[in-house]
Amino acid sequence: MAKAYKLNKYVAHSGVCSRRKAAELIKAGKITVNGKVHLEPAFEVTSNDKIVYQGKLIKPTINHTYLLLNKPKNVLTTLSDDRGRKTVWDMVKEKVTDRVYPVGRLDRNTTGLLLITNDGDLARKLSHPSSNVIKSYIITLEQQVTAKHVEEIRNGITLEDGPVPVDRINYVDRADKYKISIDVHIGRNRIVRRIFESFGYTVQRLDRIYYAGLTKKGLPRGWSRFLTNEEIRMLKHFT
């Protein structure tokens, strides 16, 4: 029996791009269905239809890939860069046969855990604000962080784009006022850096050590590994 898809989901599951980018390609008339252009991303297709992109027949991926990368500094969370800078795709492409994509982003100078997959449904659910995915970071500042500021952040501050709830914040070591452990579930752009920059601190290092139940244990910086079946089940149950 033929499986039904929304056209943007079909394209995304074929490894061409993310679902959002797929919608843009469809609206631009870059995708054909049985030789015809359909500009509506939600147009329904089946696995029996002939979907073509850039002259090639595309098919949804049946087997999903799940990789956990401990991203180093100076690596972009993208699949390509027109300036030739190193990307996460460069770091995992030897391990995978299907096109995969990072879930969420870490900026170029932030290190740590990054989930990479071609499971578009899981990626979308983990990225959605309603999932409340917890992310833990260790942040090192150039100045000592005052107890007053730690308490203000714990109680909740407001930035230019709205309130910033923090799930947990503490000194990593009370004798070291330069290093802070912080947990957040919001996913706004550069949010952890911006919290501390709003108080005038300069961020020296930012490292994500925990993401949606996954940790860096046994995963050196710059290395990646496939998730275990137990970890995959945990993520799907989580969402």
Side-chain angles (χ1 to χ4, degrees):
M1 183 177 177
K3 184 174 180 179
Y5 297 86
K6 297 285 194 268
L7 182 54
N8 61 331
K9 184 175 181 179
Y10 184 105
V11 174
H13 283 202
S14 299
V16 171
C17 56
S18 67
R19 192 177 297 191
R20 181 179 296 178
K21 181 65 177 177
E24 294 174 4
L25 292 175
I26 293 162
K27 291 176 181 177
K30 303 292 186 182
I31 308 291
T32 62
V33 180
N34 301 323
K36 296 181 179 180
V37 171
H38 294 273
L39 303 180
E40 176 51 57
F43 180 76
E44 290 204 355
V45 298
T46 74
S47 52
N48 289 338
D49 288 316
K50 293 182 178 180
I51 317 298
V52 174
Y53 172 62
Q54 293 185 337
K56 294 181 180 179
L57 191 67
I58 58 175
K59 290 286 185 182
T61 300
I62 297 174
N63 296 319
H64 287 133
T65 298
Y66 305 88
L67 276 171
L68 188 64
L69 171 68
N70 188 351
K71 187 184 90 67
K73 195 173 181 180
N74 294 322
V75 173
L76 299 178
T77 307
T78 185
L79 299 186
S80 62
D81 180 61
D82 55 11
R83 293 166 57 184
R85 293 172 296 181
K86 193 169 187 177
T87 70
V88 294
W89 174 246
D90 295 322
M91 304 198 70
V92 303
K93 62 185 178 182
E94 300 300 326
K95 284 192 169 187
V96 298
T97 55
D98 296 312
R99 198 72 160 167
V100 290
Y101 301 88
V103 179
R105 300 184 68 85
L106 290 177
D107 65 47
R108 186 182 180 190
N109 292 321
T110 298
T111 61
L113 289 182
L114 191 64
L115 178 63
I116 301 175
T117 185
N118 55 2
D119 186 338
D121 288 334
L122 178 64
R124 188 180 70 258
K125 289 173 183 176
L126 287 172
S127 301
H128 196 277
S130 65
S131 294
N132 290 325
V133 173
I134 294 293
K135 293 148 282 194
S136 300
Y137 298 84
I138 299 294
I139 185 165
T140 305
L141 294 309
E142 289 191 1
Q143 306 91 348
Q144 295 190 59
V145 182
T146 68
K148 179 177 180 292
H149 287 159
V150 169
E151 190 61 23
E152 286 185 40
I153 294 168
R154 182 180 290 121
N155 291 335
I157 64 171
T158 298
L159 298 179
E160 66 276 6
D161 53 352
V164 184
V166 168
D167 297 277
R168 188 189 61 84
I169 180 171
N170 282 304
Y171 294 108
V172 173
D173 181 343
R174 287 201 168 274
D176 182 357
K177 305 295 186 184
Y178 295 90
K179 193 173 290 187
I180 299 290
S181 170
I182 185 169
D183 296 354
V184 296
H185 64 268
I186 53 175
R188 301 211 298 268
N189 187 41
R190 299 180 73 253
I191 192 63
V192 175
R193 290 181 181 273
R194 288 166 52 215
I195 288 171
F196 289 89
E197 289 169 353
S198 72
F199 288 94
Y201 294 106
T202 301
V203 177
Q204 194 174 71
R205 287 189 296 275
L206 181 59
D207 186 40
R208 185 154 73 189
I209 61 171
Y210 176 97
Y211 177 80
L214 303 170
T215 74
K216 296 200 304 179
K217 184 177 180 181
L219 190 63
R221 185 71 46 78
W223 288 50
S224 63
R225 67 169 177 82
F226 292 100
L227 295 191
T228 65
N229 289 334
E230 183 179 350
E231 287 172 328
I232 295 168
R233 284 194 296 270
M234 178 271 294
L235 284 178
K236 292 188 174 183
H237 175 73
F238 180 89
T239 59

